Amino acid sequence: AVIVAGYDDLMQKFFDSNPGLASRFKTFIKFRDYEPDELMSIFLSLCEQNDYVVSDELREYLSNYFQDIYLNRDKHFGNGRDVRNLFEKAITRQSKRIFSMNKPTVGDMMLLLIEDIHH
């Protein structure tokens, strides 16, 4: 089995690049973009899986952020990949913030703040 994935227009160019290529693929599945609430759910799920807690201020920021990137999505919109990248950047920034603290508590180490996303 071979699975290829990509944006619609680029995948069409891929299949058009070789006349025999498209005939070798029998099943095509098109996925819709995740909506803002789904993007938020993905982020919160990543936090839960990794024992992080999201501050109320960050939760509000993310709600607006996901709404904005969804409404203004273009060919670079990465859906769930954008959420995972944002989560990973937040964890990196949070670890740097925690490192600079004198005596962080377990709660400090679990908490994601808006400054871990938006700097």
Side-chain angles (χ1 to χ4, degrees), residues 19-95:
L21 193 57
S23 67
R24 290 178 170 83
F25 290 85
K26 302 297 181 207
T27 303
F28 295 85
I29 302 171
K30 183 172 178 162
F31 294 96
R32 65 173 178 74
D33 290 338
Y34 288 120
E35 294 188 13
D37 60 330
E38 293 170 310
L39 297 170
M40 177 67 105
S41 292
I42 293 168
F43 189 89
L44 295 175
S45 176
L46 288 168
C47 289
E48 185 178 322
Q49 291 169 24
N50 292 280
D51 297 322
Y52 287 100
V53 177
V54 177
S55 72
D56 291 339
E57 184 181 27
L58 177 56
R59 188 179 295 263
E60 183 178 339
Y61 173 83
L62 289 172
S63 178
N64 293 326
Y65 174 78
F66 291 135
Q67 183 76 22
D68 183 58
I69 65 168
Y70 178 80
L71 292 175
N72 296 297
R73 65 194 185 279
D74 60 13
K75 67 180 182 176
H76 300 290
F77 179 67
N79 258 327
R81 181 181 65 241
D82 283 348
V83 177
R84 175 168 288 284
N85 290 343
L86 182 67
F87 173 76
E88 290 172 355
K89 286 178 185 176
I91 298 311
T92 299
R93 288 184 186 131
Q94 189 254 20
S95 65

Side-chain angles (χ1 to χ4, degrees), residues 97-109:
R97 179 175 56 79
I98 295 298
F99 182 75
S100 70
M101 295 173 76
N102 189 15
K103 291 186 178 187
T105 66
V106 172
D108 292 330
M109 291 186 268

